[in-house]
Amino acid sequence: MRYISTRGGIAPIRFKDAVMMGLADDGGLLLPESIPTFSDTDLESWRGLSYSQLAFEIISRYVDDIPAADLRRLIDRSYATFSHPEVTPVVRQDGVHILELFHGATLAFKDVALQFLGNLFEYILAERNERLTIVAATSGDTGSAAIHGVRGKQGISIFVMHPEGKTSPVQAMQMTTVLDENVHNIAIEGTFDDCQGIVKALMNDLPFKQRHRLGAVNSINWARVLAQVVYYVYAWLKVAGPAQKVLFSVPTGNFGDIFAGYVAWQMGLPVQQLLLATNENNILTRFINKGDYSIGQVVQTVSPSMDIQVASNFERYLYYLFNGDTVRVGAVFEQLKKEGRIHFADDELARVRRDFCSASVNRVQTLATIGNFYKETGYLLDPHTAVGVKAARDLAAGSTPVVCLATAHPAKFGEAVQEATGQAVPLPPVIQRLSGLPTRCALLPADQQQVRAFIEQRMA
Ligand SMILES: *Cc1c(COP(=O)(O)O)cnc(C)c1O
């Protein structure tokens, strides 16, 4: 399997090189040259598999430069860290199936991909006798999942900047209580955008980037998408009969998670449609429902991990929408840069609406959904999951099974859940254990020179 760029500017590369490249060198995103498929018979033969066994069946179709036994070991090790024996169990509540993706180290779905990516990095770096320095900005979920994905790993150092005092207390503790020598937390006196700006400045400083072998862990890495394909298939096997179509409702920010569902569908999974659920940051909903892809201001919501206007993984979908026309992909992103919007042809929009339906769910609706769902079922939804559940309530019809992706544990966003239900959220043991633990975190001003000096000093 070879990997190409959505912008068509790189020679095809193999899986391990794609993992290490992250963003394609021509500024595009990496994709497999073709999507491998499976048949209904394959699917039926997978019904009894464990999560790890299924993950191997799917992932191995995209990887031909890691020996099978090694790949199995990497996958097994990644999912052994989950607290639930099924890794991503499906529970049925009030007519919908909830796919619980929050049983990993930091209680959000990002653990599914970042545990695997951390192990992959370590394996590839050891083989090549190389080092990697990850520099990341986070509003909470990505940073904590990345830290737990690479803590204690050989050959990797990680620097994570978060805006001081602006993550939830649980998110901050999940990051700063990690004392492994290769983990460096930096609280920045500023906003998330300041943190992101510093990361960009460091990445654009090529001598600095090369000296420290800087790498990124955001959801543009193909291995993250690939790991997420697995749970769509896993959920389907739990809820559907042979060849039965399913609708997946996916609370969406960067389009990474829902794009993994699109890949699962292209591989052969019987999918009715993908429901793209957004909060008030609804550029993707406006696009699907009105054909209007124009960037607005980021609004703060009760589902902060979806507070995004430019969804980086959307480019991967556009590559397929434009039938692999890499020149057109490059051109529309030029248009977006110049005009702040992309124009689509009517036949393209018709195809988008076959693939996706969409709804935007506001704060009041989100909190009401959490409150009502709790009253009716006793089950607590986190605010991100509630956005997907509400959208499914509004748009799903008929007898098609509906699977709502539960992207975070309710305790991770306990304040909003408490506001909605009037009750404190019981803390799971992995969070209880954190309080009172020693922490380590540097506090720096929003100044790239000072962050650069800090990294130089720690890496010396
Ligand atoms: C990151 C995140 C999302 C959004 O996922 P994307 O892949 O960016 O669309 C949704 N919910 C939670 C809890 C998240 O952490």
Side-chain angles (χ1 to χ4, degrees):
M1 175 66 73
R2 307 270 157 164
Y3 291 83
I4 53 168
S5 166
T6 50
R7 309 261 174 114
I10 65 161
I13 54 176
R14 298 182 78 181
F15 177 75
K16 284 187 289 196
D17 295 320
V19 173
M20 297 313 293
M21 192 178 278
L23 188 71
D25 285 347
D26 64 355
L29 299 189
L30 295 166
L31 280 172
E33 222 165 23
S34 63
I35 294 184
T37 55
F38 50 71
S39 65
D40 287 347
T41 317
D42 293 330
L43 262 178
E44 289 308 313
S45 74
W46 292 343
R47 287 214 184 256
L49 297 187
S50 70
Y51 188 91
S52 280
Q53 289 169 328
L54 180 68
F56 178 80
E57 290 296 332
I58 309 269
I59 293 172
S60 61
R61 288 165 195 241
Y62 291 87
V63 183
D64 56 11
D65 55 353
I66 297 178
D70 291 0
L71 186 60
R72 261 187 217 281
R73 227 178 358 256
L74 290 173
I75 291 171
D76 287 347
R77 203 188 313 144
S78 302
Y79 298 113
T81 63
F82 280 64
S83 64
H84 195 287
E86 283 200 64
V87 182
T88 64
V90 183
V91 300
R92 194 185 163 88
Q93 298 286 344
D94 205 16
V96 296
H97 302 277
I98 310 258
L99 171 56
E100 293 185 341
L101 301 172
F102 52 70
H103 295 284
T106 70
L107 307 182
F109 85 95
K110 292 183 172 75
D111 292 320
V112 177
L114 282 164
Q115 286 292 317
F116 179 59
L117 185 61
N119 286 319
L120 260 180
F121 275 149
E122 184 180 48
Y123 177 87
I124 299 170
L125 292 169
E127 198 177 67
R128 298 181 172 182
N129 199 18
E130 287 176 4
R131 293 196 48 83
L132 179 69
T133 304
I134 294 166
V135 182
T138 188
S139 58
D141 280 355
T142 303
S144 53
I147 285 171
H148 286 262
V150 306
R151 64 183 295 182
K153 294 230 183 301
Q154 292 296 317
I156 310 177
S157 302
I158 184 167
F159 292 82
V160 173
M161 283 170 256
H162 67 266
E164 193 217 355
K166 295 195 179 73
T167 63
S168 81
V170 168
Q171 288 173 322
M173 275 199 299
Q174 285 176 327
M175 293 190 277
T176 59
T177 56
V178 177
L179 302 182
D180 299 70
E181 270 182 30
N182 69 332
V183 173
H184 309 279
N185 279 289
I186 307 172
I188 293 288
E189 294 167 329
T191 62
F192 170 67
D193 288 339
D194 292 328
C195 299
Q196 195 136 45
I198 295 170
V199 171
K200 278 205 187 120
L202 296 177
M203 291 284 180
N204 285 332
D205 177 347
L206 287 186
F208 183 82
K209 184 176 178 188
Q210 278 155 11
R211 192 157 65 245
H212 296 293
R213 297 189 166 275
L214 292 198
V217 284
N218 44 17
S219 65
I220 49 129
N221 197 301
W222 168 253
R224 283 188 61 177
V225 174
L226 177 55
Q228 292 170 201
V229 172
V230 177
Y231 52 68
Y232 284 89
V233 182
Y234 189 80
W236 184 92
L237 290 166
K238 295 289 157 187
V239 311
Q244 187 180 19
K245 289 188 173 171
V246 167
L247 182 137
F248 290 95
S249 179
V250 189
T252 299
N254 243 323
F255 204 82
D257 200 3
I258 197 164
F259 181 72
Y262 180 78
V263 173
W265 188 1
Q266 301 311 300
M267 288 185 80
L269 196 70
V271 172
Q272 176 77 40
Q273 221 180 10
L274 296 167
L275 198 176
L276 189 155
T278 57
N279 61 25
E280 287 93 332
N281 297 288
N282 60 1
I283 176 172
L284 292 169
T285 301
R286 277 190 280 117
F287 164 60
I288 292 167
N289 293 344
K290 299 192 187 132
D292 166 25
Y293 190 90
S294 56
I295 295 175
Q297 288 289 314
V298 177
V299 182
Q300 269 196 8
T301 73
V302 286
S303 44
S305 299
M306 291 152 56
D307 292 350
I308 289 166
Q309 281 289 335
V310 182
S312 48
N313 265 288
F314 187 57
E315 177 163 349
R316 286 194 161 108
Y317 175 69
L318 291 186
Y319 172 86
Y320 294 105
L321 183 65
F322 299 156
N323 298 312
D325 182 348
T326 54
V327 174
R328 174 93 204 274
V329 174
V332 297
F333 281 99
E334 274 304 306
Q335 184 178 53
L336 184 65
K337 225 193 270 167
K338 284 205 198 101
E339 301 172 28
R341 60 168 59 237
I342 301 177
H343 298 288
F344 292 90
D346 287 348
D347 61 321
E348 289 165 350
L349 284 173
R351 175 148 161 217
V352 168
R353 289 175 190 140
R354 275 200 303 276
D355 293 341
F356 302 100
C357 56
S358 187
S360 167
V361 177
N362 67 27
R363 176 196 167 88
V364 171
Q365 294 169 318
T366 304
L367 295 177
T369 302
I370 297 171
N372 292 337
F373 207 83
Y374 180 63
K375 251 182 253 148
E376 285 157 26
T377 66
Y379 187 90
L380 287 173
L381 300 169
D382 111 284
H384 304 77
T385 308
V387 166
V389 168
K390 167 67 176 155
R393 285 269 153 88
D394 289 352
L395 294 185
S399 57
T400 305
V402 176
V403 174
C404 294
L405 275 63
T407 52
H409 190 288
K412 201 161 186 183
F413 299 93
E415 269 179 41
V417 179
Q418 180 160 0
E419 188 183 336
T421 61
Q423 289 186 37
V425 185
L427 292 182
V430 283
I431 293 183
Q432 277 174 28
R433 258 182 255 134
L434 297 180
S435 67
L437 285 184
T439 60
R440 194 178 71 223
C441 182
L443 179 64
L444 292 179
D447 173 61
Q448 57 138 319
Q449 293 304 340
Q450 296 207 32
V451 173
R452 181 190 311 253
F454 178 83
I455 295 175
E456 297 274 11
Q457 178 221 331
R458 288 298 168 96
M459 295 303 292

